[in-house]
Structures are given as C-alpha cells and as structure tokens.
Amino acid sequence: MTTLAHDSATLTRDALTVLQPGFTGTTAPDWVLRRLGEGLASVGLFGRNIATPEQLGALTAQLRAERDDVLVAIDEEGGDVTRLEVRTGSSFPGNLALGAVDDPELTRAVARELGRRLAECGVNLNWAPSADVNSNPDNPVIGVRSFGAEPGLVARHTAAYIEGLQGAGVAACTKHFPGHGDTAVDSHHALPRIDAGLDTLTARELAPFRAAVAAGTKAVMSAHILLPALDPDLPATLSPAALHGLLRRPVADGGLGFDGMIVTDGMEMRAIADAYGIERGSVLAIAAGADAICVGGGLADEGTVLRLRDALVTAVIEGRLAEERLAEAAARVRALGEWTRRSGGPRAAHGIEPAAGVGLAAARRALRVTPAGSSYDPVTGPAYVAAFTPVANIAVGEETPWGVGAELARLRPGTGAATYGRQDADTLGVNGLIENMLDTAGDRRIVAVVRDVHRHPWMADALDALLAARPETVVVEMGVPQAPPAGALHIATHGAARVCGRAAAEVIVGNGAGDHPGD
C-alpha cells in the first residue's frame, strides 16, 4: 500500500477529473450533472446527443450551469466526420479537399467558421484536426480525413486549422499522435503496426505534430498504434516513450516540447479493450503521460465512469500509478477548462463575422474534373445515380448521408438513386448487378458514385462493366482519388460531405463545369 499525500476525497476527485465520458440522450442525464459536482470536468458529445443547434446550445448550458469550466468535447472534423450535421451531411469539406486546394488561408477560414458554430452552441473542445499523413492509400480509417500524403502540406494545413479553430475560442485537439496515416488496419477493430524507422517517423509522421505544437494546439490525442521504433511492446496511448518521452520531451532533447493536455483516443476501441481492458488500459495511459481518458462512443453509462474512476484510485493506492502523476493530469484538464471558460463559449462566437458560404466555396475549389474527350454534354434531364457503397468505417458512421443523389435531384427533378454494395455484387455477380442497374435506370444518364474505388476490387469490376455498357456514364469519386479517371466525365471531390456532393452536382448539370482548378 502507498502512503498518500492527499486525502481520499482529493484522489477520487482527480480520478473523475481525468475522465472524458459520453452519455445518451439530448439532455444531460442526472448522473452526469451529479458527477460534474463531484469533480468530473469533461464530457464528450456524439451524433446521438444532437438534434438541432438550439437543442445543443440548451444541453451545453445545462452542463455549464453545473460547472462553468466544463470541457464539452465533440468529434467535428467537418467533411465525412460530422456530429453537428450527422443526419444531413456537413456544410464543410474535409481535410483532403482543403489539402487539394492547398490554400492555408482557406483552411484557416473554414476552421474559424466551424469553430464559430461550435462556440455558438457552447462546445469548447474539438477532437480535430487529424494531422495524420495519409502515406498509405489503402488506409481504411484515415483517407480523406487527412490533408494529404505529403508531410509539409499536412503540417501547414494542420497549423492553419488550429489557428482558425482556436481563434474562435474552441480548443483544438490534434490527432492521432504519433500519426495513423501509414496503417492498413483500423484501430477500432485491431491494433495497427507501423514498422517505419525513427528517421522516417521523424520526417513524415511527426512533422505535422511539430507544426501543431508550434501553432499552439491546446490538446493532442494519442493513437492506439504500435510503433516498434518508439516502443516495441506498448501502443502509443500506453507508452511512456511515446507520450512522456517523445511528445513531452523538450525540443532541445529531441522531443516535441508539448505541455498541453494529452487525451487518449476512445478506450473502448478494440486495439486497447481487447488486449488490456479499459480499466487497466486507462491506468496505463495516465501512467504513460496521458491527462484525459476518452470513453463513451460505445460505452456511455455511469457504470463505466465509476469503474474507471475506481480503477485509477485503486492503482494509486496499490502503487501502480503515482499519485502526483494523476494530480498532474487532473491539473492539466482543469487548466484547459479554465482557458475555455475565459476564451470560449457563445460570447466568442458573437465577435466573429459568420462566413456561411465558405464551406461550399472550398468544396467547389477542391473539385478535380477530367473530361474523357474534348467536350462534355451536361445532364439536362432526370438522371440515375448509382452509388457503389463500401462499408462505412466507425469514425464516419452509417447515419450520415453521402453522395450526389439528393443534390442532383434538386437540380434535375425526377432523378432517381440507388445504392449497390459488395453483397449485391456477391449475390448477383457483377454482370447481374449491372443488368439490374441498367434496367432500373432506363434511358436516364447514369451517374456512378464511388468511394475509394482503388481499395475495393468488386467496386472496380462493377464500374468497369458499367462503363463498357454505358460509356457516357459520369463517375464521381468521393474518396481518395487513386484509380485512373474514368467515364465521360470524372469528378474527384476529395470527400463525401454534403457540400462536396452539391459542388459535383453543379458540374454534372453544366453549372460551373470547367471553372475549377485541375480541369
């Protein structure tokens, strides 16, 4: 047993302070309000907690009435990953679209407007931006969430995003340290491994995080990935070498010199939960240098909070977690809460001129349009949109609509749409799937919408068969554009946000075709 410097009440309060849980419902449950009074200092919001901006504002006001420095966090990257607009699709293109434009001022303006909307709703911590360098085009979980595959580009846009977001009074949480881009496994499902050497990691993965620290990011989120060059045994979230060592170590000693809040990625993700369990994983994470434990995407109940609180308290009492390390972590959480209390909230939003059209303007600039011949005949009547749909990754979720069907139907009434997945290809065969599609489309022009066609052989085969039957088909790639352009017109949107679909639909019908960079 360990002799404690403080009483058990202080220890329990600190243990609650470092937790960042979620909950269900569009109002705060009684247990959340009660725990805020006992020391809980953060909550995480997800799509299930949000119905309208007005409702979200009332929810955050309810939380703030219990604790005026509470951190209200959200996973609002814009683009494919949106919680504010989970049921409609985002008004902002995601990182890959911004990287494709490569105008840091535009990125700063988009992040500022996104931050203004969050602050107006009372959200003061955003688990964004993703600073991952998407060096592996087969990455199943990052993809369009990255600004790109070149470290310098990712670094300058990461910095611009942080400056824009925090200029609106919302703390940025740069993720997923030390970099999730060179992975072929989704850490929601298993533990990814990056075997790159330390020199490669330093030049590639770490460049955007160095830029983020220099830009003043208030928080950094750790990744559940194994990098043997840093630590052969423990994933970064649990690794003292990665967190206390590399991220905290002074720049003069080869580290990044970060002194803000370190928060873990979701502890219920299988990369941690399967191998360590969330209780042991949380203790190891705090011991390694993390300051806040994110949990609540899948486990959103009071029992989880109490289990983690008690696990941290017990670890201190048994000597497996230093009391001063837990106290230091809690202090960093409270310090960030104090910064948001002074800098954030609706009053911060009121001082910023709204820029309602910046997201659509960015999506239009991000389009890369490739005609197959010297001319393109715009769609003048009803079309048929065939969306080749892969399984959504957990970070994006299945609730958020994507594609061009709704936007094209608005411009060309009578347009129909259907989705086709791998199961359809397996059941019907590629030829049967295309025959079904052609029968349904009739004489309407087909618009084929794909997402990362280079990663899905069934999708590539189906698209080839469709183009052989209907060469006049328009192809819209809404993922990472790795496959060669195909179709009578090929539009790469660099993301699947609602505004990306609208921008593509405008080109399909002839409004603005040829006006975009990369034509």
PDB file of all heavy atoms in Angstrom, residues 25-47:
ATOM      1  N   GLY A  25     -28.752  10.525 -25.084  1.00  0.00           N
ATOM      2  CA  GLY A  25     -29.839  11.482 -24.923  1.00  0.00           C
ATOM      3  C   GLY A  25     -29.452  12.897 -25.319  1.00  0.00           C
ATOM      4  O   GLY A  25     -28.271  13.245 -25.413  1.00  0.00           O
ATOM      5  N   THR A  26     -30.464  13.722 -25.544  1.00  0.00           N
ATOM      6  CA  THR A  26     -30.253  15.104 -25.969  1.00  0.00           C
ATOM      7  C   THR A  26     -30.347  16.088 -24.805  1.00  0.00           C
ATOM      8  O   THR A  26     -30.273  17.301 -25.003  1.00  0.00           O
ATOM      9  CB  THR A  26     -31.274  15.485 -27.053  1.00  0.00           C
ATOM     10  OG1 THR A  26     -32.599  15.188 -26.579  1.00  0.00           O
ATOM     11  CG2 THR A  26     -31.019  14.711 -28.339  1.00  0.00           C
ATOM     12  N   THR A  27     -30.509  15.577 -23.618  1.00  0.00           N
ATOM     13  CA  THR A  27     -30.348  16.370 -22.394  1.00  0.00           C
ATOM     14  C   THR A  27     -29.394  15.597 -21.485  1.00  0.00           C
ATOM     15  O   THR A  27     -29.220  14.388 -21.624  1.00  0.00           O
ATOM     16  CB  THR A  27     -31.682  16.599 -21.662  1.00  0.00           C
ATOM     17  OG1 THR A  27     -32.253  15.316 -21.316  1.00  0.00           O
ATOM     18  CG2 THR A  27     -32.666  17.366 -22.536  1.00  0.00           C
ATOM     19  N   ALA A  28     -28.772  16.306 -20.568  1.00  0.00           N
ATOM     20  CA  ALA A  28     -27.793  15.652 -19.695  1.00  0.00           C
ATOM     21  C   ALA A  28     -28.489  14.784 -18.657  1.00  0.00           C
ATOM     22  O   ALA A  28     -29.381  15.264 -17.943  1.00  0.00           O
ATOM     23  CB  ALA A  28     -26.939  16.701 -18.999  1.00  0.00           C
ATOM     24  N   PRO A  29     -28.106  13.511 -18.540  1.00  0.00           N
ATOM     25  CA  PRO A  29     -28.685  12.656 -17.505  1.00  0.00           C
ATOM     26  C   PRO A  29     -28.329  13.172 -16.109  1.00  0.00           C
ATOM     27  O   PRO A  29     -27.318  13.860 -15.924  1.00  0.00           O
ATOM     28  CB  PRO A  29     -28.040  11.295 -17.761  1.00  0.00           C
ATOM     29  CG  PRO A  29     -27.447  11.363 -19.124  1.00  0.00           C
ATOM     30  CD  PRO A  29     -27.121  12.803 -19.364  1.00  0.00           C
ATOM     31  N   ASP A  30     -29.128  12.795 -15.153  1.00  0.00           N
ATOM     32  CA  ASP A  30     -28.873  13.225 -13.775  1.00  0.00           C
ATOM     33  C   ASP A  30     -27.490  12.790 -13.296  1.00  0.00           C
ATOM     34  O   ASP A  30     -26.814  13.526 -12.566  1.00  0.00           O
ATOM     35  CB  ASP A  30     -29.946  12.659 -12.831  1.00  0.00           C
ATOM     36  CG  ASP A  30     -31.305  13.340 -13.029  1.00  0.00           C
ATOM     37  OD1 ASP A  30     -31.336  14.431 -13.636  1.00  0.00           O
ATOM     38  OD2 ASP A  30     -32.313  12.773 -12.574  1.00  0.00           O
ATOM     39  N   TRP A  31     -27.058  11.602 -13.702  1.00  0.00           N
ATOM     40  CA  TRP A  31     -25.773  11.110 -13.206  1.00  0.00           C
ATOM     41  C   TRP A  31     -24.628  11.981 -13.693  1.00  0.00           C
ATOM     42  O   TRP A  31     -23.649  12.178 -12.966  1.00  0.00           O
ATOM     43  CB  TRP A  31     -25.554   9.641 -13.555  1.00  0.00           C
ATOM     44  CG  TRP A  31     -25.317   9.299 -15.002  1.00  0.00           C
ATOM     45  CD1 TRP A  31     -26.241   8.861 -15.909  1.00  0.00           C
ATOM     46  CD2 TRP A  31     -24.064   9.336 -15.706  1.00  0.00           C
ATOM     47  NE1 TRP A  31     -25.649   8.628 -17.134  1.00  0.00           N
ATOM     48  CE2 TRP A  31     -24.312   8.906 -17.032  1.00  0.00           C
ATOM     49  CE3 TRP A  31     -22.765   9.683 -15.353  1.00  0.00           C
ATOM     50  CZ2 TRP A  31     -23.319   8.824 -18.010  1.00  0.00           C
ATOM     51  CZ3 TRP A  31     -21.758   9.608 -16.319  1.00  0.00           C
ATOM     52  CH2 TRP A  31     -22.041   9.184 -17.623  1.00  0.00           C
ATOM     53  N   VAL A  32     -24.738  12.507 -14.919  1.00  0.00           N
ATOM     54  CA  VAL A  32     -23.680  13.390 -15.426  1.00  0.00           C
ATOM     55  C   VAL A  32     -23.629  14.675 -14.611  1.00  0.00           C
ATOM     56  O   VAL A  32     -22.555  15.133 -14.191  1.00  0.00           O
ATOM     57  CB  VAL A  32     -23.907  13.691 -16.921  1.00  0.00           C
ATOM     58  CG1 VAL A  32     -22.980  14.810 -17.394  1.00  0.00           C
ATOM     59  CG2 VAL A  32     -23.685  12.441 -17.770  1.00  0.00           C
ATOM     60  N   LEU A  33     -24.790  15.259 -14.361  1.00  0.00           N
ATOM     61  CA  LEU A  33     -24.842  16.504 -13.584  1.00  0.00           C
ATOM     62  C   LEU A  33     -24.305  16.278 -12.173  1.00  0.00           C
ATOM     63  O   LEU A  33     -23.563  17.121 -11.635  1.00  0.00           O
ATOM     64  CB  LEU A  33     -26.272  17.027 -13.542  1.00  0.00           C
ATOM     65  CG  LEU A  33     -26.914  17.332 -14.907  1.00  0.00           C
ATOM     66  CD1 LEU A  33     -28.354  17.788 -14.727  1.00  0.00           C
ATOM     67  CD2 LEU A  33     -26.105  18.370 -15.675  1.00  0.00           C
ATOM     68  N   ARG A  34     -24.639  15.149 -11.593  1.00  0.00           N
ATOM     69  CA  ARG A  34     -24.177  14.847 -10.237  1.00  0.00           C
ATOM     70  C   ARG A  34     -22.661  14.666 -10.215  1.00  0.00           C
ATOM     71  O   ARG A  34     -21.977  15.189  -9.324  1.00  0.00           O
ATOM     72  CB  ARG A  34     -24.872  13.578  -9.741  1.00  0.00           C
ATOM     73  CG  ARG A  34     -24.571  13.232  -8.276  1.00  0.00           C
ATOM     74  CD  ARG A  34     -25.466  12.117  -7.783  1.00  0.00           C
ATOM     75  NE  ARG A  34     -25.305  10.874  -8.502  1.00  0.00           N
ATOM     76  CZ  ARG A  34     -26.166  10.388  -9.403  1.00  0.00           C
ATOM     77  NH1 ARG A  34     -27.279  11.057  -9.692  1.00  0.00           N
ATOM     78  NH2 ARG A  34     -25.946   9.234 -10.017  1.00  0.00           N
ATOM     79  N   ARG A  35     -22.111  13.958 -11.183  1.00  0.00           N
ATOM     80  CA  ARG A  35     -20.668  13.722 -11.212  1.00  0.00           C
ATOM     81  C   ARG A  35     -19.902  15.005 -11.528  1.00  0.00           C
ATOM     82  O   ARG A  35     -18.751  15.166 -11.084  1.00  0.00           O
ATOM     83  CB  ARG A  35     -20.319  12.629 -12.224  1.00  0.00           C
ATOM     84  CG  ARG A  35     -20.972  11.276 -11.943  1.00  0.00           C
ATOM     85  CD  ARG A  35     -20.635  10.734 -10.565  1.00  0.00           C
ATOM     86  NE  ARG A  35     -21.432   9.531 -10.256  1.00  0.00           N
ATOM     87  CZ  ARG A  35     -21.488   8.936  -9.077  1.00  0.00           C
ATOM     88  NH1 ARG A  35     -20.797   9.444  -8.054  1.00  0.00           N
ATOM     89  NH2 ARG A  35     -22.235   7.865  -8.888  1.00  0.00           N
ATOM     90  N   LEU A  36     -20.488  15.921 -12.289  1.00  0.00           N
ATOM     91  CA  LEU A  36     -19.840  17.214 -12.501  1.00  0.00           C
ATOM     92  C   LEU A  36     -19.628  17.932 -11.174  1.00  0.00           C
ATOM     93  O   LEU A  36     -18.605  18.593 -10.960  1.00  0.00           O
ATOM     94  CB  LEU A  36     -20.669  18.088 -13.450  1.00  0.00           C
ATOM     95  CG  LEU A  36     -20.634  17.706 -14.939  1.00  0.00           C
ATOM     96  CD1 LEU A  36     -21.654  18.522 -15.716  1.00  0.00           C
ATOM     97  CD2 LEU A  36     -19.243  17.905 -15.521  1.00  0.00           C
ATOM     98  N   GLY A  37     -20.583  17.788 -10.273  1.00  0.00           N
ATOM     99  CA  GLY A  37     -20.434  18.391  -8.948  1.00  0.00           C
ATOM    100  C   GLY A  37     -19.388  17.705  -8.100  1.00  0.00           C
ATOM    101  O   GLY A  37     -18.867  18.295  -7.144  1.00  0.00           O
ATOM    102  N   GLU A  38     -19.041  16.466  -8.455  1.00  0.00           N
ATOM    103  CA  GLU A  38     -18.071  15.688  -7.672  1.00  0.00           C
ATOM    104  C   GLU A  38     -16.657  15.741  -8.244  1.00  0.00           C
ATOM    105  O   GLU A  38     -15.742  15.165  -7.663  1.00  0.00           O
ATOM    106  CB  GLU A  38     -18.531  14.227  -7.596  1.00  0.00           C
ATOM    107  CG  GLU A  38     -19.853  14.055  -6.862  1.00  0.00           C
ATOM    108  CD  GLU A  38     -20.359  12.619  -6.914  1.00  0.00           C
ATOM    109  OE1 GLU A  38     -19.674  11.770  -7.540  1.00  0.00           O
ATOM    110  OE2 GLU A  38     -21.440  12.340  -6.353  1.00  0.00           O
ATOM    111  N   GLY A  39     -16.490  16.399  -9.395  1.00  0.00           N
ATOM    112  CA  GLY A  39     -15.147  16.514  -9.950  1.00  0.00           C
ATOM    113  C   GLY A  39     -15.020  16.238 -11.426  1.00  0.00           C
ATOM    114  O   GLY A  39     -14.003  16.588 -12.036  1.00  0.00           O
ATOM    115  N   LEU A  40     -16.010  15.575 -12.033  1.00  0.00           N
ATOM    116  CA  LEU A  40     -15.960  15.348 -13.470  1.00  0.00           C
ATOM    117  C   LEU A  40     -15.804  16.694 -14.181  1.00  0.00           C
ATOM    118  O   LEU A  40     -16.524  17.648 -13.871  1.00  0.00           O
ATOM    119  CB  LEU A  40     -17.233  14.642 -13.937  1.00  0.00           C
ATOM    120  CG  LEU A  40     -17.276  14.199 -15.406  1.00  0.00           C
ATOM    121  CD1 LEU A  40     -16.261  13.093 -15.673  1.00  0.00           C
ATOM    122  CD2 LEU A  40     -18.686  13.733 -15.782  1.00  0.00           C
ATOM    123  N   ALA A  41     -14.857  16.775 -15.117  1.00  0.00           N
ATOM    124  CA  ALA A  41     -14.535  18.074 -15.721  1.00  0.00           C
ATOM    125  C   ALA A  41     -14.758  18.103 -17.223  1.00  0.00           C
ATOM    126  O   ALA A  41     -14.610  19.160 -17.833  1.00  0.00           O
ATOM    127  CB  ALA A  41     -13.080  18.434 -15.422  1.00  0.00           C
ATOM    128  N   SER A  42     -15.106  16.962 -17.824  1.00  0.00           N
ATOM    129  CA  SER A  42     -15.262  16.886 -19.275  1.00  0.00           C
ATOM    130  C   SER A  42     -16.390  15.938 -19.638  1.00  0.00           C
ATOM    131  O   SER A  42     -16.648  14.975 -18.911  1.00  0.00           O
ATOM    132  CB  SER A  42     -13.984  16.363 -19.948  1.00  0.00           C
ATOM    133  OG  SER A  42     -12.837  17.010 -19.507  1.00  0.00           O
ATOM    134  N   VAL A  43     -17.008  16.191 -20.771  1.00  0.00           N
ATOM    135  CA  VAL A  43     -17.916  15.229 -21.389  1.00  0.00           C
ATOM    136  C   VAL A  43     -17.653  15.240 -22.892  1.00  0.00           C
ATOM    137  O   VAL A  43     -17.170  16.232 -23.442  1.00  0.00           O
ATOM    138  CB  VAL A  43     -19.406  15.546 -21.127  1.00  0.00           C
ATOM    139  CG1 VAL A  43     -19.738  15.449 -19.651  1.00  0.00           C
ATOM    140  CG2 VAL A  43     -19.782  16.910 -21.681  1.00  0.00           C
ATOM    141  N   GLY A  44     -17.965  14.135 -23.542  1.00  0.00           N
ATOM    142  CA  GLY A  44     -17.853  14.049 -24.990  1.00  0.00           C
ATOM    143  C   GLY A  44     -19.227  13.895 -25.605  1.00  0.00           C
ATOM    144  O   GLY A  44     -20.058  13.114 -25.118  1.00  0.00           O
ATOM    145  N   LEU A  45     -19.493  14.655 -26.664  1.00  0.00           N
ATOM    146  CA  LEU A  45     -20.775  14.593 -27.350  1.00  0.00           C
ATOM    147  C   LEU A  45     -20.624  13.870 -28.687  1.00  0.00           C
ATOM    148  O   LEU A  45     -19.606  13.999 -29.364  1.00  0.00           O
ATOM    149  CB  LEU A  45     -21.331  15.999 -27.589  1.00  0.00           C
ATOM    150  CG  LEU A  45     -21.577  16.861 -26.350  1.00  0.00           C
ATOM    151  CD1 LEU A  45     -22.184  18.196 -26.756  1.00  0.00           C
ATOM    152  CD2 LEU A  45     -22.475  16.142 -25.350  1.00  0.00           C
ATOM    153  N   PHE A  46     -21.663  13.150 -29.069  1.00  0.00           N
ATOM    154  CA  PHE A  46     -21.688  12.401 -30.315  1.00  0.00           C
ATOM    155  C   PHE A  46     -22.978  12.726 -31.065  1.00  0.00           C
ATOM    156  O   PHE A  46     -23.814  13.474 -30.564  1.00  0.00           O
ATOM    157  CB  PHE A  46     -21.562  10.905 -30.031  1.00  0.00           C
ATOM    158  CG  PHE A  46     -20.265  10.544 -29.346  1.00  0.00           C
ATOM    159  CD1 PHE A  46     -20.137  10.619 -27.965  1.00  0.00           C
ATOM    160  CD2 PHE A  46     -19.156  10.148 -30.092  1.00  0.00           C
ATOM    161  CE1 PHE A  46     -18.935  10.313 -27.331  1.00  0.00           C
ATOM    162  CE2 PHE A  46     -17.953   9.839 -29.468  1.00  0.00           C
ATOM    163  CZ  PHE A  46     -17.842   9.925 -28.089  1.00  0.00           C
ATOM    164  N   GLY A  47     -23.141  12.163 -32.240  1.00  0.00           N
ATOM    165  CA  GLY A  47     -24.334  12.453 -33.030  1.00  0.00           C
ATOM    166  C   GLY A  47     -25.621  12.157 -32.294  1.00  0.00           C
ATOM    167  O   GLY A  47     -26.632  12.856 -32.479  1.00  0.00           O
TER     168      GLY A  47
END
